Amino acid sequence: MTTLDTGIPLFVLGQGTDPHSERGVDCPGELPPASDPDLVARAVKAKATLGDRLFVLGHHYQRDEVIQFADVTGDSFKLARDAAARPEAEYIVFCGVHFMAESADILTGDDQRVILPDMAAGCSMADMATFDQVEEAWDVLTDLGLADVTVPITYMNSSADIKAFCGRGGGAVCTSSNARRALTWAFEQGEKVLFLPDQHLGRNTAVLEMGFSLDDCVVYNPHRPNGGLTDQQLRDAKMILWRGHCSVHGRFTADCVDEVRARIPGVNVLVHPECRHDVVTKADQVGSTEYIIKTLEAAPAGSAWAVGTELNLVKRLAAAHPDKTVTFLDRTVCYCSTMNRIDLPHLVWALESLVEGQVVNQITVDPETTSWAKLALDRMLALP
Ligand code: 13P
Ligand code: SF4
């Protein structure tokens, strides 16, 4: 437990047995209370004081109270490019989750500091693939003589050392907006892909966009010997999918799609590719957060949409398109709890600390990891 200076105890996900605990989630100094009516004015003032020295990035899943202060918003691919395109900014405040801030640190200059306003803003999917587990899996493939023909591809939602592993192993990073292009590139380099850590993005892309069959895919469980697979299964597979998933998108079910179609005749179902395969198969369209936003912008007035992605974004889309019906695909799925950790008190605290000359919650990736991870990220950024 930790407390804000209101004395109200707060449960912090990153403490205790949670994997984020090693990041150290206690904020040094004093956070302003969430009830402070001056928070907006304080954020405006701190931003104005810092001027061009500061660049604030906001992922589409961030809260409204935070996103209003973002200089740019985007999906994880766009934000990685935006961070890399601002060499003059001394401070990059990343309103998103830990792996995104790491990627920003990797892609920005040594003199630039990347700040994550709350260190507990991790990603449960990224935590499902640790470096040791992935090395162990690679050893299994090496013993079978398969490592030489396997290209490791990791989703952006992974730690920097997993990205570095892929860079070192001749592979690349991908995001939900370029997974097909990354996989096409990978199959030009080798015969198989080890896809980390999101099994759903890997399966959905391979089967629905590239013509592979479900039988071409196997799921490697890092908690079982040999990934829970026979040697023959590993030899036959084209796509070796890591057993990871998003705890938010994984909650949408095929029943949600049936239910919304029955409730709203003519509704278009639009989902993120982190959703399960049966959900994506039943949907009308699938794409990254940026794709979802653009699709709704282009949709005709009067059309109806059920969107299967994080709730902050869906609520903003509904507010932005009063001429269309925009509804959440499932009534019980909620916010991404780690994205939501970045709130206005944490943002104000980070900005005001910078004004005082104190860099808090800096995300730093060591030089060796940076160089290999950058190779994997650069391969992604160079995809046609
Ligand atoms: P995007 O790549 O679409 O931004 O998604 C990132 C993410 O974390 C989705 O859960
Ligand atoms: Fe991770 Fe899912 Fe949250 Fe995205 S929505 S940051 S994949 S837990």
Side-chain angles (χ1 to χ4, degrees):
M1 289 280 192
T2 189
T3 57
L4 294 183
D5 57 356
T6 53
I8 300 169
L10 282 182
F11 177 71
V12 175
L13 181 72
Q15 289 182 335
T17 56
D18 187 82
H20 305 136
S21 58
E22 66 218 36
R23 290 181 202 130
V25 293
D26 283 329
C27 298
E30 248 186 33
L31 280 184
S35 56
D36 182 341
D38 297 330
L39 282 178
V40 169
R42 285 170 65 174
V44 169
K45 187 170 171 221
K47 262 199 93 179
T49 308
L50 291 162
D52 288 344
R53 296 169 67 204
L54 172 73
F55 189 44
V56 182
L57 298 161
H59 187 267
H60 290 311
Y61 293 166
Q62 289 289 293
R63 297 161 177 262
D64 287 351
E65 68 191 45
V66 165
I67 211 89
Q68 64 181 322
F69 293 107
D71 295 309
V72 290
T73 58
D75 63 10
S76 53
F77 178 66
K78 179 172 178 288
L79 292 180
R81 292 218 316 216
D82 287 342
R86 263 307 171 105
E88 68 282 6
E90 202 178 324
Y91 306 123
I92 311 265
V93 171
F94 210 116
C95 299
V97 288
H98 193 270
F99 70 79
M100 297 179 181
E102 277 188 332
S103 298
D105 184 54
I106 291 162
L107 291 169
T108 51
D110 291 345
D111 52 339
Q112 294 180 285
R113 320 272 201 103
V114 176
I115 291 131
L116 182 67
D118 185 347
M119 285 295 200
C123 163
S124 52
M125 176 201 287
D127 290 337
M128 288 176 195
T130 67
F131 182 75
D132 288 349
Q133 289 172 336
V134 174
E135 274 224 316
E136 213 175 296
W138 200 251
D139 287 345
V140 169
L141 296 178
T142 305
D143 290 346
L144 289 172
L146 298 175
D148 285 348
V149 293
T150 304
V151 180
I153 297 288
T154 188
Y155 188 23
M156 184 68 116
N157 299 28
S158 56
S159 61
D161 52 8
I162 301 294
K163 292 185 176 79
F165 175 89
C166 291
R168 214 181 288 115
V173 176
C174 75
T175 68
S176 52
S177 37
N178 60 20
R180 187 186 52 76
R181 276 178 284 148
L183 284 178
T184 303
W185 172 84
F187 281 108
E188 285 160 10
Q189 321 300 311
E191 294 167 20
K192 291 175 190 296
V193 165
L194 172 64
F195 193 86
L196 305 153
D198 184 12
Q199 58 169 299
H200 300 305
L201 177 65
R203 185 183 295 108
N204 289 330
T205 311
V207 175
L208 299 175
E209 295 189 47
M210 299 177 69
F212 288 101
S213 72
L214 285 174
D215 290 340
D216 290 324
C217 307
V218 291
V219 177
Y220 188 98
N221 181 349
H223 303 290
R224 305 260 297 272
N226 229 42
L229 298 164
T230 63
D231 293 353
Q232 197 54 46
Q233 283 175 311
L234 284 165
R235 281 196 193 96
D236 291 345
K238 298 295 280 177
M239 286 286 289
I240 303 170
L241 306 168
W242 196 258
R243 193 167 183 268
H245 67 274
C246 166
S247 39
V248 177
H249 292 88
R251 293 193 57 194
F252 295 110
T253 63
D255 284 350
C256 302
V257 181
D258 293 338
E259 191 272 329
V260 83
R261 288 201 197 281
R263 193 159 45 90
I264 311 175
V267 71
N268 298 283
V269 178
L270 172 59
V271 299
H272 195 280
E274 287 174 16
C275 291
R276 288 157 30 170
H277 187 63
D278 54 349
V279 175
V280 174
T281 307
K282 280 199 162 198
D284 299 301
Q285 292 188 50
V286 55
S288 73
T289 49
E290 200 71 20
Y291 176 87
I292 290 171
I293 292 167
K294 294 211 166 92
T295 302
L296 280 172
E297 277 167 6
S303 56
W305 297 83
V307 184
T309 194
E310 204 266 353
L311 188 51
N312 276 313
L313 174 58
V314 180
K315 281 165 87 174
R316 262 197 299 277
L317 287 169
H321 298 285
D323 58 331
K324 300 159 202 172
T325 302
V326 179
T327 184
F328 196 45
L329 180 56
D330 180 83
R331 295 170 205 205
T332 61
V333 175
C334 44
Y335 303 99
C336 169
S337 58
T338 47
M339 280 277 180
N340 258 11
R341 297 235 157 233
I342 312 291
D343 57 9
L344 199 45
H346 282 87
L347 180 60
V348 168
W349 168 73
L351 296 180
E352 289 183 345
S353 300
L354 290 176
V355 170
E356 286 159 18
Q358 201 195 344
V359 178
V360 290
N361 286 6
Q362 186 179 349
I363 301 297
T364 327
V365 180
D366 68 79
E368 168 81 5
T369 308
T370 293
S371 71
W372 288 115
K374 186 162 183 324
L375 182 61
L377 281 161
D378 284 343
R379 284 184 184 132
M380 172 187 82
L381 294 170
L383 288 172

